[in-house]
Each structure stands twice: as C-alpha cells, then as structure tokens.
C-alpha cells in the first residue's frame, strides 16, 4: 500500500497534515487499521459505509491525470468530463437511502447555487438507485444540478477508482480546471463553508495559472 503525505483539512480546522492511505475499496476491506474496512466487516446493515469526515487536499504537483468519464443523467441526457472542461467540478457520490447523503444535500445545493456560472460545475453520481428513485430524491431536496445514474454499470465509479477512490458513500471529489482530483471529502459534508472554500481556492488557482 503506497502512502503519500498530503495536506488535509478537517471540518473544524482546515490546517492539519495527515498521511492518506491510497487504496481501492477492496483493499480497504483487508486493512485492519482502516475504519471503513472495520465498518465493512462488522456488517451493521445500515446500507452504507460512512466516512469519517476527513477532507484531503492534493497539491497541484501531486495530482494524477485528468479523469475521463461519461454517463446518462436522471433526465436521460449524456454528461461527462468533456462537458466540465475548464471548470472546477464537484462530483458527489450518493444514493437516496443513505442518511448522510440526505443530510448534506441542502448544503451541496447551496454551494452549487453560489458558484453556478461562476467557474464551477456540479454533478452527482447515484451509485445504487434506478432513475425514478433518484429523481424523487432530487425533487424532494430541491437539487437542480444533474446526476448521473451509475447503478447499472458503475462506469463513473470505475473511472475514479484510481489514486483517490470514492471509498465511502457519500464521497465528494473536487476536480481542478484540468479535470484532476484536487480534494476529497470522505463522508458527509459537515458545513457548506468547507466546500465553498475548496472550490473558491481552486477557481483562484485556475485564474492565476
């Protein structure tokens, strides 16, 4: 298991430095010290593996290659990385029955509304539901940014299963303007201001590049 030392933000303090273990979901299940693996093995029956709220940021020189993906949205449109080119992109992995997903939904919509048309794009990736269930969730929570229904083939999840895999639901990845993973919120977003800060910093980074 390769270890990379990278800057990490926590919900209350955005300055801590931590060692982030890079692993696939399968590898997590075999790592005895990983809280996600422990949740997986315990079989709690809650229907999701919850993250611990860790927020990790990756300096520009430590980001991987641009991530390419495409899928079909709830509305039946094709959406992919090419449509997000040149913008900071927030990619949120969720499903309707996930309690933390429901808790963070209003905050994601709030940040989307702040940055829509101002340098950042949002896309959800529904990992479990069929279209009708996903659409009902979006209507109930007033979500107006698009979501890809990825339950059938997992193609979008696979596209991100590289250096920084979405190892818990929900997981929010923030891509820089080049389409590279620049930050990860592992688990429920605790406060909209956290995501606002990350997105704004990456927009500023793009403007000065």
């Amino acid at each position: 298991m390769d270890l990379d030392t990278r800057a990490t933000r926590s919900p209350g303090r955005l300055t801590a430095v931590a060692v982030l273990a890079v692993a696939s979901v399968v590898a997590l299940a075999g790592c005895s010290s990983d809280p996600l693996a422990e949740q997986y093995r315990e079989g709690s029956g809650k229907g999701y593996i919850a993250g611990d709220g860790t927020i990790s940021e990756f300096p520009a020189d430590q980001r991987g290659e641009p991530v390419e993906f495409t899928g079909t949205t709830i509305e039946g449109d094709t959406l992919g990385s090419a449509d997000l080119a040149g913008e900071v992109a927030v990619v949120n992995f969720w499903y309707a029955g996930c309690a933390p997903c429901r808790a963070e939904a209003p905050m994601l919509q709030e940040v989307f509304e702040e940055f829509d048309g101002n340098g950042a794009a949002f896309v959800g990736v529904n990992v479990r539901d069929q279209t009708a269930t996903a659409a009902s969730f979006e209507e109930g929570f007033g979500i107006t940014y698009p979501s890809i229904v990825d339950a059938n083939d997992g193609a979008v999840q696979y596209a991100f299963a590289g250096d920084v895999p979405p190892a818990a639901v929900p997981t929010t990845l923030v891509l820089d303007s080049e389409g590279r993973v620049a930050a990860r919120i592992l688990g429920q977003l605790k406060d909209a201001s956290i995501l606002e800060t990350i997105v704004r910093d990456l927009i500023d980074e793009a403007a000065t590049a």
Side-chain angles (χ1 to χ4, degrees):
M1 182 179 294
D2 295 330
L3 298 179
D4 297 321
T5 302
R6 298 176 177 182
T8 302
R9 299 192 185 195
S10 62
R13 298 171 58 193
L14 305 182
T15 57
V17 176
V19 175
L20 174 65
V22 178
S24 67
V25 176
V26 174
L28 282 170
C31 180
S32 60
S33 63
D34 196 300
L36 298 178
E38 292 169 5
Q39 290 182 60
Y40 178 84
R41 288 195 300 274
E42 76 179 13
S44 62
K46 61 189 176 184
Y48 59 90
I49 300 176
D52 60 4
T54 298
I55 299 158
S56 302
E57 292 185 287
F58 313 124
D61 62 355
Q62 294 182 29
R63 297 170 195 164
E65 295 297 317
V67 181
E68 296 183 0
F69 65 93
T70 188
T72 302
T73 68
I74 291 171
E75 295 73 26
D77 301 320
T78 299
L79 177 65
S81 49
D83 300 296
L84 310 175
E87 291 189 287
V88 172
V90 177
V91 184
N92 174 254
F93 293 78
W94 66 281
Y95 69 93
C98 159
C101 302
R102 301 171 72 87
E104 71 176 8
M107 289 180 279
L108 290 166
Q109 177 65 22
E110 176 185 337
V111 182
F112 164 69
E113 291 176 1
E114 178 178 352
F115 290 102
D116 185 29
N118 293 298
F122 277 58
V123 57
V125 180
N126 186 289
V127 302
R128 183 173 296 189
D129 304 317
Q130 295 303 309
T131 300
T133 301
S136 178
F137 178 98
E138 290 199 335
E139 181 178 358
F141 285 92
I143 303 300
T144 58
Y145 57 83
S147 277
I148 291 171
V149 178
D150 199 48
N152 294 327
D153 60 12
V156 179
Q157 297 169 75
Y158 181 78
F160 284 96
D163 290 338
V164 190
V169 178
T171 286
T172 301
L173 303 179
V174 188
L175 313 184
D176 65 18
S177 60
E178 297 180 26
R180 304 175 300 172
V181 175
R184 180 180 73 171
I185 302 172
L186 182 61
Q188 180 186 328
L189 175 65
K190 301 299 185 182
D191 192 283
S193 64
I194 296 168
L195 184 57
E196 289 171 358
T197 299
I198 294 171
V199 172
R200 186 174 293 109
D201 286 350
L202 287 169
I203 291 173
D204 292 344
E205 175 187 285
T208 58

